[in-house]
Amino acid sequence: MAAALKRTALRIGMIPADGIGREVLPAAQMAIEALGSAIPKPTFIPLLAGWEEFQKRGKALPDETVQILKNECDGAMFGAVSSPSHKVEGYSSPIVALRKHLDLYANVRPVSSVPGQKVDKIVDMVIVRENTECLYVKREKISDLPNGGKIAIAERQITSAASERIGKMAFEIALRRGQERSESTWEGWAHSQPKVTIIHKSNVLSVTDGLFRESVRKVGEADPRYKGIKIEEQIVDSMVYRLFREPEYFDVCVAPNLYGDIISDGAAALVGSLGLVPSVNAGDDFVMGEPVHGSAPDIEGKNIANPIASIRSAALLLSSLGYYGPAGRITNAVDRVLLEGKHMTPDLGGRSTTTDVTEAVLKLI
């Protein structure tokens, strides 16, 4: 990514897409705008994508959206998408397509307890999910059997190149987290030594998951900069068990696409709600913030969607672009609102609206 100091303007593509994406993305925009002169003057470019866009015009991801992101934007924010659970001819997920078009090969999802909040177990982990391969290559076929039944087959793709670069991303994050802890005076960290846990199922999928674990481990063992990082492995099902029993055990977890998708949603339960967990889809040249939650059609239009994940995703976007201080202002404001507990949406047991929570955060930025 280009250095933050070289920018005189900040152009951010805004893709609300479906459902509550249209309600929480404005909160992210307002949080960025609240930073004022701490960042270059932002311009927000509205862009189309999603299931509703497909229903209207027959394409879930317009070519224009991709071209504007590639040629005119410094980064982007994505809201949420409503994908059908059954096959619809001509439709494919726009977020999956965007990851491929922009080579956003990593989905980075930090999951952490609010500093200062009284909890039984401290959660302080980052899940680094490979974004381009695994079963998400969507090469599936269905055929008839001689007995009149059907058989469906999905092809799974794992390459050493994709596994190594997601491994490098995970080790770089662990290295940075270790440095931040060593420079901090706070004593509440869950981990004294940075650690990368490789998530796989190579006891069954010995070829594909075997290649993934070997490729990631190779990255960690080959670079002397990572010698202070502990490398561990966990079979995915035992990892899920340990995640809920000992969440404090994990620091940085790196996983193939499907496992990463599942465990990151599961980890959100440890901190209260999917509405709290942010992410960024990151590549070498572009970053797109994306709240972890879905489109939530059951609460669409009720002004009760939790905007925190979207606001936190905006902070992650800014830090990925090099604006660490301004991003920290947003993060600290969110933490203070959560710590005070006065403005909580229904998913957290409160009665506040999306507007209430957004305004509470903006006052503290």
Side-chain angles (χ1 to χ4, degrees):
M1 302 299 296
L5 294 177
K6 294 181 180 179
R7 295 191 184 91
T8 57
L10 194 58
R11 293 174 61 83
I12 301 174
M14 302 295 282
I15 313 167
D18 300 316
I20 64 170
R22 293 187 289 265
E23 299 172 43
V24 298
L25 218 57
Q29 177 171 330
M30 286 186 281
I32 294 173
E33 291 173 327
L35 293 168
S37 61
I39 59 173
K41 183 175 176 56
T43 300
F44 299 92
I45 305 170
L47 298 170
L48 297 173
W51 169 243
E52 292 182 22
E53 177 66 13
F54 173 80
Q55 291 179 305
K56 290 177 183 176
R57 298 178 178 85
K59 199 163 188 178
L61 182 62
D63 294 337
E64 182 184 15
T65 294
V66 176
Q67 292 307 311
I68 290 175
L69 289 172
K70 283 184 175 181
N71 301 319
E72 299 180 26
C73 296
D74 299 298
M77 288 291 301
F78 189 93
V81 65
S82 299
S83 291
S85 57
H86 58 282
K87 180 177 175 59
V88 175
E89 192 65 36
Y91 177 82
S92 61
S93 169
I95 187 65
V96 174
L98 276 170
R99 291 166 180 165
K100 292 180 180 178
H101 282 299
L102 301 172
D103 198 24
L104 305 177
Y105 59 86
N107 184 260
V108 181
R109 302 186 178 188
V111 184
S112 60
S113 310
V114 176
Q117 198 170 51
K118 291 182 179 180
V119 292
D120 294 332
K121 297 173 182 177
I122 295 174
V123 181
D124 180 23
M125 71 177 72
V126 176
I127 297 170
V128 184
R129 166 190 168 194
E130 203 289 317
N131 240 358
T132 65
E133 293 194 324
C134 194
L135 289 168
Y136 287 49
V137 294
K138 296 194 70 174
R139 290 198 284 266
E140 298 179 287
K141 61 181 180 180
I142 188 166
S143 54
D144 296 322
L145 293 172
N147 64 4
K150 292 182 180 293
I151 181 170
I153 297 175
E155 182 179 336
R156 187 176 196 243
Q157 175 182 304
I158 300 288
T159 64
S160 58
S163 301
E164 286 174 11
R165 69 177 182 175
I166 198 66
K168 182 177 180 181
M169 175 78 75
F171 281 102
E172 287 294 324
I173 290 172
L175 188 66
R176 185 168 66 247
R177 281 164 64 83
Q179 291 170 344
E180 289 172 354
R181 291 179 198 133
S182 65
E183 295 169 0
S184 173
T185 57
W186 191 54
E187 298 179 355
W189 298 111
H191 311 282
S192 57
Q193 178 187 11
K195 176 170 63 177
V196 169
T197 303
I198 306 168
I199 311 299
H200 60 82
K201 187 68 175 176
S202 61
N203 58 329
V204 176
L205 302 171
S206 58
V207 176
T208 50
D209 271 7
L211 179 60
F212 180 82
R213 63 171 289 275
E214 291 164 9
S215 300
V216 174
R217 181 173 279 278
K218 174 184 173 183
V219 170
E221 294 174 343
D223 194 326
R225 294 188 309 120
Y226 304 146
K227 65 180 180 180
I229 300 173
K230 189 176 183 180
I231 305 175
E232 293 190 349
E233 300 180 21
Q234 285 268 290
I235 301 297
V236 63
D237 43 346
S238 64
M239 184 273 178
V240 171
Y241 176 81
R242 195 166 195 175
L243 178 66
F244 288 99
R245 291 295 296 269
E246 302 176 76
E248 69 276 10
Y249 176 81
F250 297 104
D251 184 12
V252 176
C253 299
V254 58
N257 209 338
L258 178 62
Y259 305 156
D261 195 2
I262 294 170
I263 63 177
S264 55
D265 279 10
L270 298 170
V271 293
S273 169
L274 279 171
L276 297 176
V277 182
S279 78
V280 288
N281 297 281
D284 294 330
D285 301 308
F286 200 83
V287 179
M288 180 170 64
E290 179 197 3
V292 168
H293 61 70
S295 60
D298 56 320
I299 62 170
E300 180 184 358
K302 297 180 180 180
N303 194 29
I304 57 172
N306 193 335
I308 294 296
S310 184
I311 294 171
R312 280 177 161 172
S313 295
L316 286 180
L317 171 65
L318 290 175
S319 63
S320 299
L321 294 173
Y323 303 103
Y324 303 109
R329 284 174 54 186
I330 294 177
T331 299
N332 291 338
V334 168
D335 287 348
R336 286 176 62 186
V337 169
L338 292 174
L339 195 57
E340 290 171 359
K342 296 178 181 178
H343 299 89
M344 298 289 172
T345 43
D347 59 310
L348 296 175
R351 296 183 178 181
S352 298
T353 65
T354 307
T355 304
D356 293 334
V357 177
T358 301
E359 289 178 351
V361 173
L362 294 177
K363 288 177 182 177
L364 296 174
I365 293 177

